[in-house]
Amino acid sequence: MSVACKSIIKDPSLWPSGERKILWARRFMKVLESISRNARVEKKFKGLRVGVVLHLEAKTAVLAWIIQEAGAEVYVACCNPETTQDDVAAALARKVTAVYAWRGETIEEYYENIKRVLKAKPDFIIDDGADCIVLAHELNVTSVKGGTEETTTGVIRLKAMERDGVLRFPVIGVNEGRIKYLFDNRYGTGQSTIDGILRATNIMIAGKRVVIAGYGWVGRGLAMRFRGMGAKVIVTEVDPIKALEAHMEGFEVMPMIEAVKIADIIITATGVNKVVREEHFKVMRDGVFLANAGHFDVEIDVRWLEEHAKAKREVRPHVTEYTLPNGKRVYLLAKGRLVNLVAADGHPIEVMDLSFAGQFAALEYLVDNYDKLEPKVYTLPRELDEKIAWEKLKVEGIRIDKLTPEQIEYLKSWRR
Ligand code: NAD
Ligand code: ADE
């Protein structure tokens, strides 16, 4: 690894292509640009240190750069050992205080890089998956006044910390904002997971039986978009309401043990471990593709494959072929990590524009209010959620109606 300024990155000379990616992304991140304008002009975050621990690709770099432009010192690490884009990291190291990240970190290096962010004594942390916030608690980093969390799995972990009485500062669960999960989790993952699978495999989607585990926000987006590409979509669920919803949306619903017998592609999106495991591997067809869109690499039991496969080889970038004890082969994409961020660029720019506008708004809200908040997980205030939606409508040139005073009165009254 080379050291550029205080950064620790793969290769600083990679910066030109990273710079092009960042400038391209920034061109389309008009909502973030607009909602951060005042803070950037006023240098509102001057004197603050912000730790950013997100998937380090171009849109993340735009967010980190913009926070630095608003006056903060920004320290960046990646929230996954396999999702840093090294050219983007090199370009970002020229824009923010420090970057500690490279593609293919070992687990030890991954945590070491997050610790480097914490050693800078950040006032605020922007996290994805909660590894940084959890580590800040374990290492008793007392500088932190508040945090924000990007994804469903991170929010679930942080709520568990709140429940156990161990959370020590307020966190805004950006994921809980409608501006986040309705767009990012659903349409963002719907498109970018297909992007990752196609880039990794170059296979045809139309006519394939695609099994989607989990019909939450991510699963809905996946099911919708795979159907749009001509796949025969099957949903597996554990929640009876979500299962019914998938059924009424016209998808086949069945237990995983039945679905795997007919699947061509299986994608997990549950946030839960071992959704695809030994009993399922044993009855899969030869040549099935396995991919994960959930936050952690626990949904497909990769350890079982590692321990029991007769043979293993890399057949293309991001495609590992395992030969099972019964002689059948399965193709695991992106080592069971987030396929959309390992094999592709993550969500489309316009979607991350909304999510990161949410992150910026949450950070600004924390800077203004952290001392009035309790150590709890908060939802992004509704007015900020809606401010971002209004800004996006403006960017898109879309106008909508307003309730008339008479309609407002009508809604308030029970008399008809
Ligand atoms: P969600 O809570 O809305 O949905 C999860 C669904 O999975 C629920 O309906 C739940 O009932 C179902 N489920 C749980 N266990 C199951 C099992 N064993 N089998 C079948 N279904 C099961 O969550 P979400 O917002 O859809 O997020 C899902 C995961 O994706 C999380 O880990 C989240 O952090 C991650 N995520 C990834 C991306 C990405 O870019 N790839 C984007 C957003 C969220
Ligand atoms: N790009 C940066 N962060 C991302 C995320 N959490 N999901 C998808 N794309 C991303």
Side-chain angles (χ1 to χ4, degrees), residues 237-251:
E237 251 299 343
V238 292
D239 177 328
I241 307 282
K242 304 268 181 69
L244 261 185
E245 197 186 347
H247 169 69
M248 296 222 183
E249 190 55 46
F251 299 115

Side-chain angles (χ1 to χ4, degrees), residues 160-360:
M161 288 174 78
E162 179 188 328
R163 234 183 7 256
D164 288 352
V166 296
L167 191 66
R168 287 205 297 268
F169 48 75
V171 180
I172 310 237
V174 172
N175 186 73
E176 307 307 89
R178 289 177 302 162
I179 203 64
K180 164 67 168 59
Y181 64 79
L182 286 177
F183 303 97
D184 174 309
N185 302 28
R186 185 168 43 170
Y187 304 115
T189 319
Q191 177 169 321
S192 60
T193 298
I194 290 178
D195 189 10
I197 291 173
L198 293 185
R199 288 200 213 183
T201 64
N202 195 216
I203 58 162
M204 177 94 166
I205 299 293
K208 295 274 190 309
R209 284 206 176 80
V210 177
V211 173
I212 294 173
Y215 197 68
W217 291 109
V218 169
R220 285 183 187 111
L222 292 174
M224 178 200 309
R225 292 302 189 236
F226 273 98
R227 175 158 67 186
M229 303 245 342
K232 298 170 200 150
V233 175
I234 299 164
V235 168
T236 73
E237 251 299 343
V238 292
D239 177 328
I241 307 282
K242 304 268 181 69
L244 261 185
E245 197 186 347
H247 169 69
M248 296 222 183
E249 190 55 46
F251 299 115
E252 270 203 82
V253 180
M254 61 182 79
M256 183 61 89
I257 195 68
E258 300 304 324
V260 287
K261 292 176 192 159
I262 50 174
D264 297 305
I265 304 174
I266 302 169
I267 306 162
T268 49
T270 67
V272 175
N273 61 340
K274 294 192 184 176
V275 173
V276 179
R277 53 186 181 265
E278 176 174 4
E279 66 194 90
H280 303 126
F281 293 130
K282 285 184 167 164
V283 293
M284 280 174 192
R285 289 155 27 127
D286 184 44
V288 69
F289 294 92
L290 304 175
N292 169 49
H295 183 78
F296 283 117
D297 59 341
V298 295
E299 304 206 16
I300 300 165
D301 191 355
V302 180
R303 185 179 291 178
W304 189 91
L305 287 175
E306 287 287 323
E307 287 170 2
H308 293 87
K310 283 202 300 192
K312 170 189 172 185
R313 62 187 180 117
E314 301 304 313
V315 283
R316 282 169 62 95
H318 309 308
V319 185
T320 312
E321 180 190 80
Y322 289 93
T323 307
L324 302 178
N326 64 11
K328 297 201 173 135
R329 290 156 303 170
V330 299
Y331 296 108
L332 178 69
L333 308 189
K335 300 180 185 160
R337 293 191 181 275
L338 295 151
V339 70
N340 59 331
L341 280 142
V342 175
D345 291 320
H347 294 343
I349 304 172
E350 296 91 329
V351 168
M352 289 318 291
D353 186 24
L354 296 180
S355 302
F356 286 165
Q359 285 287 4
F360 191 93

